[in-house]
Amino acid sequence: MKLLRYGPEGQEKPGLLDASGAIRDLSGHVADISGDVLTPEGLAKLAAIDVESLPVVSGAPRIGACVGNVRKFIAIGLNYADHAAESGMAVPTEPVVFNKWTSCIVGPNDDVMIPEGSSKTDWEVELGVVIGKTARRVSEAEALEHVAGYCVVNDVSEREYQLERGQTWDKGKGFDTFGPIGPWMVTRDEVPDAGNLTMWLEVDGKRFQDGSTKTMIFGVAELVAYCSRLMTLLPGDVITTGTPPGVGMGQKPQVFLKGGEVMRLGIEGLGEQTQKVRRA
């Protein structure tokens, strides 16, 4: 299934993308795509619904973040060796974990706002992992049983705040609008190998990132198991798993967003995002 949320910001309704690409309204069955709806039991109930019985949503509504009421937005840094190299940092021997504040989450096509005074706002296409079952100290072998599905994430980053203001990455990662998620969450049963998906990002039509999840240092199962030893993962939590090379910081000379650009990005089978960049 491809599950999504549509409608004005703060008033999103739950939906499902059918085989023809039409949005079907799920609000007669669930209140939101969040929490218990994402558990194995919740997803099984949705899968049992006759899609043709669901109302078709007319027009072209705004698409919101594909998961609502996210309690934890966990990010993994330097998870591609070639991205670590372009960043001038050592390849990690275990996952680098930081937070993106949940208040940064927006829809996949919402505007991205450059913070006031920023001169180093950057982009990162990433595979997002949505937790569907409470995970506490799970093994790598059982980790994928705790995954509801996958989505596209743009881990927008302000590099000065991330790297030059005390080495606390969180500072540069959680500004408002720095977490576009979606357009939809594709359930795990429809993604047979999350470790072999092509991914890309363009700015104003120029392709900067062109990679694959197959070059991740730590795969999805390893990351879920590792994070579950640091904290209890809950249904609806999102882990964004790192980016391949091609970020603005890694260009020679470096390229950062100034405002007015259009970012377009996607991951094989998980859909695309398009964001207009604006200055706050």
Side-chain angles (χ1 to χ4, degrees):
M1 292 182 290
K2 293 181 175 67
L3 301 176
L4 56 91
R5 301 167 68 247
Y6 68 95
E9 185 177 358
Q11 303 175 45
E12 292 91 347
K13 294 182 178 181
L16 179 153
L17 194 74
D18 70 16
S20 70
I23 298 173
R24 300 279 183 156
D25 181 25
L26 279 171
S27 57
H29 296 269
V30 294
D32 203 354
I33 305 299
S34 63
D36 290 345
V37 172
L38 296 165
T39 63
E41 298 77 15
L43 292 178
K45 289 179 181 179
L46 292 184
I49 297 170
D50 176 11
V51 174
E52 296 299 318
S53 71
L54 297 171
V56 176
V57 177
S58 60
R62 168 187 173 269
I63 304 299
C66 57
V67 180
N69 300 313
V70 176
R71 286 177 278 190
K72 290 193 289 296
F73 192 6
I74 304 153
I76 308 300
L78 304 176
N79 197 28
Y80 291 70
D82 35 14
H83 171 56
E86 73 172 351
S87 302
M89 299 180 187
V91 174
T93 55
E94 61 180 274
V96 175
V97 180
F98 59 93
N99 286 301
K100 289 179 74 74
W101 317 125
T102 57
S103 55
C104 81
I105 293 173
V106 291
N109 303 315
D110 290 344
D111 291 347
V112 165
M113 304 298 293
I114 297 176
E116 184 176 354
S118 167
S119 61
K120 296 185 178 180
T121 296
D122 204 348
W123 56 81
E124 296 188 9
V125 59
E126 303 198 2
L127 172 70
V129 178
V130 181
I131 300 300
K133 181 180 176 182
T134 299
R136 184 182 299 110
R137 299 193 66 81
V138 301
S139 68
E140 189 174 336
E142 61 186 347
L144 293 184
E145 299 171 12
H146 297 261
V147 172
Y150 303 96
C151 62
V152 181
V153 176
N154 189 351
D155 176 18
V156 186
S157 308
E158 210 296 333
R159 301 301 188 187
E160 179 186 352
Y161 278 83
Q162 177 191 354
L163 301 171
E164 301 171 32
R165 296 203 174 194
Q167 299 295 310
T168 306
W169 282 26
D170 312 58
K171 290 180 183 178
K173 293 287 191 170
F175 286 101
D176 290 352
T177 75
F178 272 29
I181 296 179
W184 34 77
M185 184 201 81
V186 182
T187 51
R188 178 167 53 92
D189 60 296
E190 294 191 5
V191 185
D193 185 4
N196 189 23
L197 302 174
T198 58
M199 54 202 308
W200 53 272
L201 182 145
E202 298 174 350
V203 179
D204 289 341
K206 179 179 179 179
R207 184 155 296 198
F208 282 91
Q209 293 189 274
D210 202 350
S212 170
T213 59
K214 68 184 178 183
T215 64
M216 288 195 296
I217 299 167
F218 307 106
V220 172
E222 190 171 0
L223 291 174
V224 171
Y226 184 88
C227 289
S228 80
R229 296 197 293 273
L230 304 178
M231 67 200 85
T232 298
L233 300 174
L234 302 170
D237 287 349
V238 177
I239 303 172
T240 188
T241 58
T243 197
V247 301
M249 179 177 64
Q251 305 301 308
K252 297 183 191 312
Q254 293 181 329
V255 177
F256 296 113
L257 299 167
K258 300 181 183 303
E261 301 94 341
V262 174
M263 292 185 287
R264 187 166 161 264
L265 57 147
I267 298 179
E268 178 185 355
L270 303 184
E272 298 183 6
Q273 302 182 354
T274 302
Q275 296 115 22
K276 179 71 175 289
V277 181
R278 296 172 51 205
R279 296 204 74 90

